[in-house]
Amino acid sequence: MVDFDVQLLAVLRELAERGSVTAVAAATHRTPSAVSQQLRTLQRQVGVPLVARSGRGVHLTEDGRFLAALAVEVATAVEHVDAAWREHRGGTVGRVALAVFPSASELLLPGLLARMRAHPGIDLVLVDVDVSEDEFGPLAADHDVVVAHRPDGAPPAGRAGLETVALLREPLDIAVPLAHPLADRSRVGIDDVVGQTWIGVPEDYPIDRVLTALAAATDTPPSVAFRTIHLPAIENLVAAGHGIALVPRYTSGTRASGRFHLAELADVRAGRRIEALVRPDRLVRPGVRTVLEALVAEAAQVTT
């Protein structure tokens, strides 16, 4: 049997997921030299190299990657024991950090917080984030649950090793000013929106990927007058007649009446997937499971 300190496995796992000793030190409130010392200690105990120099940093060896994967199993097993003990001693309590992007906050948070009133022992800490789709995965290292979105299709990079809980698929509609020629249409085709002025989101955000696909289908680059991450600002610009936009149906639909018109986009399956990302060991925690169950229930509610 290999004789080593399993607590040091957590440091190796953090290095595998965060990519640098400096990042591990910042996340675990240690100094870089302390992290390096712990890695050397673990390496000495197992008797094989786990990390190797790579330029000014380090990378995991094949043995290091294998042991880091086992570290996830160890952490999950420990969480199972802790969860069982907590439930034995009195139920679901504790802190759960939930990271959520703004338009998902609009859609899900009011109902979620109402549902969480039934669980006063859970301290739900909300963190507002808004990043490109491939940056949501790494956030799971610092938050218990990350609500992410992506366009239809394959999941982006950065989610390896995470559990994904599907919440909902939100169709994307075309928002047009009330005085626009398309404002009397319930459905519009790609050819109807070619050459229009767009109000968009930053490049590489999920909605922008759909706009890029529309441009590719017509071989016509979109004319984007303004880009912002703020959905209400996009809606305000559309309502004022400054362009049209791709917007999420359920979220924008609550504000459309009397301000702008929503039309279904024909010919293209345009939508975004809203999902919860969780580390496997944190998924075991009763508090995290309770929050996820409430998110799933609320997502089902808002789509009906």
Side-chain angles (χ1 to χ4, degrees):
M1 180 176 179
V2 178
D3 184 17
F4 61 87
D5 185 353
V6 294
Q7 293 184 348
L8 296 179
L9 290 178
V11 180
L12 189 68
R13 177 196 181 180
E14 293 294 337
L15 179 60
E17 296 191 1
R18 298 180 187 275
S20 74
V21 169
T22 301
V24 174
T28 59
H29 308 291
R30 298 177 173 94
T31 64
S33 60
V35 171
S36 296
Q37 178 60 44
Q38 288 176 316
L39 289 170
R40 286 194 294 269
T41 299
L42 179 61
Q43 198 164 242
R44 184 170 60 253
Q45 290 175 348
V46 299
V48 296
L50 301 176
V51 297
R53 300 297 303 179
S54 177
R56 298 178 64 181
V58 297
H59 69 272
L60 294 184
T61 64
E62 181 179 352
D63 288 325
R65 290 191 298 272
F66 181 80
L67 195 57
L70 293 179
V72 177
E73 296 184 25
V74 171
T76 302
V78 171
E79 289 289 354
H80 271 295
V81 173
D82 183 70
W85 178 248
R86 286 178 182 272
E87 290 179 340
H88 170 73
R89 292 293 296 168
T92 304
V93 297
R95 177 182 181 274
V96 178
L98 172 65
V100 57
F101 62 95
S103 60
S105 295
E106 295 179 50
L107 189 64
L108 298 173
L109 278 191
L112 173 66
L113 294 178
R115 293 174 188 276
M116 293 307 298
R117 290 175 185 150
H119 306 281
I122 296 177
D123 177 20
L124 184 61
V125 179
L126 303 175
V127 182
D128 184 65
V129 297
D130 202 351
V131 296
S132 61
E133 63 184 87
D134 57 352
E135 294 178 291
F136 281 106
L139 293 176
D142 297 312
H143 305 88
D144 298 308
V145 180
V146 176
V147 176
H149 60 154
R150 63 177 175 86
D152 288 328
R159 299 187 179 191
L162 298 178
E163 299 291 338
T164 300
V165 178
L167 297 178
L168 62 97
R169 179 187 182 274
E170 186 171 20
L172 297 178
D173 288 340
I174 302 291
V176 301
L178 294 180
H180 194 279
L182 298 176
D184 62 348
R185 304 266 297 274
S186 61
R187 302 182 79 216
V188 298
I190 297 177
D191 292 339
D192 295 319
V193 296
V194 171
Q196 297 281 339
T197 298
W198 292 87
I199 310 299
V201 298
E203 294 179 359
D204 291 331
Y205 276 57
I207 292 178
D208 187 66
R209 298 288 179 89
V210 178
L211 183 58
T212 300
L214 294 180
T218 59
D219 199 27
T220 303
S223 173
V224 182
F226 183 67
R227 294 182 184 271
T228 177
I229 61 174
H230 194 43
L231 181 58
I234 293 174
E235 296 165 353
N236 288 343
L237 289 168
V238 171
H242 296 296
I244 69 173
L246 277 166
V247 297
R249 177 180 299 171
Y250 307 129
T251 310
S252 292
T254 61
R255 296 187 290 264
S257 180
R259 299 182 58 233
F260 53 90
H261 174 72
L262 293 180
E264 181 182 352
L265 182 60
D267 308 324
V268 175
R269 181 174 166 81
R272 66 174 181 174
R273 306 278 176 168
I274 299 181
E275 303 165 326
L277 310 179
V278 192
R279 275 185 167 185
D281 49 314
R282 291 179 182 166
L283 185 59
V284 174
R285 297 177 184 175
V288 171
R289 293 202 308 271
T290 298
V291 171
L292 285 171
E293 289 167 1
L295 276 170
V296 170
E298 184 59 25
Q301 178 69 34
V302 300
T303 56
T304 58

